[in-house]
Amino acid sequence: MTLLMSKRTLLFMLICIALVGLIGCNTDKETAMKPSPIFYSNDSPMVEVKGRLGILGPDFIANQVNKYMWHFWGTKEELALKPFRVEAINMRMNEKVMALVTNSGTPREEHVWEYSGLGGPNNGADAHIPSSLQLPSSGQWQLNTYLGGKFFGAIIVDVMEKNL
């Protein structure tokens, strides 16, 4: 009787350990990723990949177009590459969308993948480009940037629901 109870007890404990392990595991990439940190360049707070890429602007609100200033640090050769491209990826749905907006606030408003080349130094960065951005839903988004088709850097942002 004791041997049978020991086997049952052992089996019960193994099942409990397995369940705790399964419940404790979280495969949701969104909760595993942290938003990119904030840093200051010439007293301007930016979401950043320090020493490489920064974005200055308001909080990200779902489905709302806002203006943001991108800042770049790098060599003259890589910063001269055209075009500037942003691929926005919803971390929960793994959905890629066009986030850049042209002709914002007009009947000709359009989402695009790319803008032309970068402008000169600004806010302590080697180059910059103003943009209008819109992300369609709340949650975490990864903004992958490219110059001349080459990956430059990625920023992760939290996008909030629009308050009504």
Side-chain angles (χ1 to χ4, degrees):
M1 184 78 158
T2 309
L3 182 59
L4 183 59
M5 287 203 39
S6 294
K7 286 183 180 181
R8 284 185 182 168
T9 303
L10 181 61
L11 181 61
F12 176 75
M13 288 175 53
L14 289 173
I15 290 172
C16 287
I17 290 170
L19 285 174
V20 167
L22 287 174
I23 292 169
C25 289
N26 186 351
T27 58
D28 185 356
K29 283 195 281 185
E30 183 174 6
T31 57
M33 300 297 288
K34 290 183 180 178
S36 297
I38 303 289
F39 85 108
Y40 287 82
S41 180
N42 285 2
D43 296 327
S44 297
M46 297 183 203
V47 177
E48 58 92 19
V49 177
K50 193 165 185 182
R52 186 78 174 150
L53 176 66
I55 187 169
L56 174 64
D59 289 336
F60 288 88
I61 308 296
N63 211 25
Q64 182 174 310
V65 178
N66 271 313
K67 293 181 180 182
Y68 299 89
M69 183 74 71
W70 294 87
H71 297 79
F72 303 85
W73 289 262
T75 67
K76 287 182 181 183
E77 293 77 23
E78 68 184 336
L79 298 178
L81 295 172
K82 298 177 184 180
F84 164 63
R85 179 181 178 96
V86 174
E87 294 179 358
I89 301 169
N90 180 307
M91 302 294 287
R92 185 174 5 120
M93 308 295 271
N94 201 27
E95 160 194 31
K96 187 188 308 183
V97 301
M98 290 183 241
L100 295 173
V101 178
T102 61
N103 302 308
S104 175
T106 72
R108 298 180 322 160
E109 184 173 288
E110 179 182 11
H111 285 83
V112 297
W113 289 112
E114 301 171 340
Y115 282 178
S116 62
L118 306 179
N122 190 8
N123 290 325
D126 299 323
H128 78 287
I129 188 170
S131 71
S132 291
L133 287 171
Q134 182 181 29
L135 298 167
S137 60
S138 63
Q140 278 195 330
W141 287 80
Q142 182 170 316
L143 305 177
N144 292 334
T145 62
Y146 300 82
L147 294 177
K150 296 180 181 178
F151 180 75
F152 190 81
I155 291 178
I156 297 173
V157 297
D158 286 326
V159 178
M160 299 176 282
E161 281 294 329
K162 188 175 185 176
N163 292 333
L164 299 176

